[in-house]
Every structure is written in structure tokens, then in C-alpha cells.
């Protein structure tokens, strides 16, 4: 399966929707720099054969709206935009998006090299550790609810409430992280 990298600078697109554009395609080319990996090699390693630019005079034609199966991706993108509106520092936005939503591809290359040099790159991938911490916090909150409201124990036993709060929180956090492979792997154990 091969890909074409498309450059689009106009209004934002709907996640999961199908569009038709008039594009200008060109093969990958760049000036040679002996100290850097050529972008052509990087593109070919990702199965990108060419790059395309949308012709400015023609607008995008919406063919099909997003199917219902992309609701999770739309939810994640919506949370990403909300975080961008809340977080004022442009340096913190990619870090929060990577740690909370699993969008680690938004980190610049300089930050990735810093993480690699310090040996902490594995912390940017949402894994069982992160899911377990979220579940643990909600289990603690379930226990705290029983301490603060003792009559709650008449309707729901403490272990049951804590268990379900932790399980639901872990599932929702894994969904918010996009059910990446590490989050799915932690649920199998």
C-alpha cells in the first residue's frame, strides 16, 4: 500500500470524511545534505511515493461524511482542540497531548532527541503503567466515597464500587488514548 502526502492549508477537515480535490503531484526531491537523512529516504520508508498540493482555485468537494465508526477519533481530536485552547504555553501543548491523549507525534524532533538522550522516551507512550495509575486513582476515589458517605455501603459494597470505578476509568482512558497497542496489551494480563 502506497501513500501520497497531501498539503492542505485552508479550513480544517472533518475527521474520517472523504473528500475530492484537484491536486498538483510531484515526486520527492530535495537538495542533498550529507549530515541529514534525506526526506526522500524517510518518505519512501513510510511508503510515500509523492507529495501533492491542492490547487488553490479549486475547493474541496465533500464526498461522504465521517462514518459512525470514527466517533472515537473525533472525540480525541475534539479533546486535543480543547486542550490547545486551555493551555497557553505552546511548548507544553505537545507534551500534554502526548501524555494525556497519546498524540506523541506532535512532539518536535528536538524534544524526541532529549527524551532519547535521557532514556525516558518510553514514558511518552501511554502504556499499562499510565492506565494502571488512572485506575488506581479511581479505586482510591471509590474507597474515599465510602469513607465520606458511610451509608453508601448499604447499597453498594466498597470493593464492588472501587472495582467498577477503576475498571470504567481504565477503559475510558484507554479509549481516549486511542486503544493503542500498549493499552490493549495491559488489559490482556
Amino acid at each position: 500500500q502506497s501513500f501520497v502526502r497531501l498539503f492542505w492549508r485552508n479550513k480544517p477537515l472533518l475527521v474520517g470524511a472523504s473528500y475530492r480535490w484537484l491536486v498538483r503531484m510531484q515526486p520527492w526531491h530535495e537538495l542533498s545534505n550529507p549530515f541529514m537523512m534525506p526526506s526522500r529516504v524517510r518518505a519512501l520508508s513510510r511508503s510515500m511515493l509523492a507529495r501533492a498540493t491542492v490547487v488553490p482555485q479549486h475547493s474541496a468537494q465533500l464526498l461522504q461524511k465521517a462514518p459512525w465508526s470514527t466517533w472515537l477519533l473525533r472525540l480525541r481530536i475534539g479533546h486535543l482542540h480543547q486542550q490547545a485552547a486551555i493551555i497557553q504555553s505552546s511548548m507544553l501543548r505537545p507534551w500534554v497531548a502526548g501524555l494525556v491523549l497519546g498524540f506523541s507525534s506532535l512532539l518536535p524532533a528536538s524534544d524526541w532527541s532529549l527524551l532519547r538522550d535521557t532514556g525516558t522516551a518510553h514514558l511518552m507512550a501511554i502504556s499499562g503503567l499510565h492506565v494502571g495509575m488512572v485506575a488506581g486513582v479511581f479505586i482510591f476515589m471509590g474507597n474515599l466515597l465510602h469513607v465520606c458517605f458511610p451509608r453508601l455501603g448499604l447499597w453498594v459494597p466498597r470493593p464492588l464500587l472501587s472495582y467498577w470505578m477503576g475498571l470504567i476509568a481504565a477503559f475510558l482512558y484507554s479509549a481516549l488514548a486511542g486503544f493503542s497497542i500498549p493499552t490493549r496489551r495491559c488489559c490482556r494480563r
Side-chain angles (χ1 to χ4, degrees):
Q1 186 175 6
S2 301
F3 299 99
V4 173
R5 183 167 199 170
L6 179 68
F7 294 96
W8 169 260
R9 292 190 174 95
N10 292 348
K11 64 180 182 175
L13 303 173
L14 298 173
V15 176
S18 299
Y19 290 92
R20 179 179 298 164
W21 289 287
L22 182 62
V23 298
R24 184 175 303 119
M25 291 182 63
Q26 46 189 241
W28 284 98
H29 66 281
E30 76 278 334
L31 298 174
S32 178
N33 184 346
F35 301 107
M36 294 183 66
M37 181 178 176
S39 62
R40 181 173 184 229
V41 173
R42 190 177 319 120
L44 289 175
S45 70
R46 296 178 181 169
S47 299
M48 289 187 209
L49 298 181
R51 53 180 147 192
T53 308
V54 176
V55 176
Q57 293 82 11
H58 298 278
S59 62
Q61 180 183 1
L62 180 64
L63 298 178
Q64 175 186 1
K65 288 194 173 184
W68 68 270
S69 60
T70 59
W71 66 271
L72 182 59
L73 185 59
R74 289 195 308 259
L75 178 73
R76 292 179 69 212
I77 297 291
H79 279 288
L80 182 66
H81 290 306
Q82 286 177 353
Q83 282 182 0
I86 293 171
I87 299 172
Q88 300 299 322
S89 171
S90 62
M91 291 177 61
L92 288 179
R93 283 184 199 142
W95 287 89
V96 173
L99 288 171
V100 175
L101 297 174
F103 287 112
S104 56
S105 61
L106 298 177
L107 275 177
S110 60
D111 289 346
W112 273 114
S113 64
L114 173 71
L115 287 170
R116 268 193 308 276
D117 293 343
T118 57
T120 55
H122 64 282
L123 296 176
M124 279 307 287
I126 293 179
S127 63
L129 172 68
H130 298 93
V131 175
M133 287 190 320
V134 168
V137 165
F138 277 85
I139 288 171
F140 175 76
M141 288 172 53
N143 287 329
L144 192 63
L145 275 175
H146 266 279
V147 170
C148 293
F149 304 104
R151 291 180 157 253
L152 190 60
L154 297 174
W155 293 293
V156 182
R158 179 191 302 212
L160 189 64
L161 177 69
S162 301
Y163 169 79
W164 279 106
M165 282 182 67
L167 185 69
I168 291 170
F171 177 78
L172 291 177
Y173 184 65
S174 295
L176 199 58
F179 287 117
S180 61
I181 292 172
T183 58
R184 284 183 278 162
R185 188 174 42 231
C186 82
C187 295
R188 287 194 316 204
R189 295 181 180 168

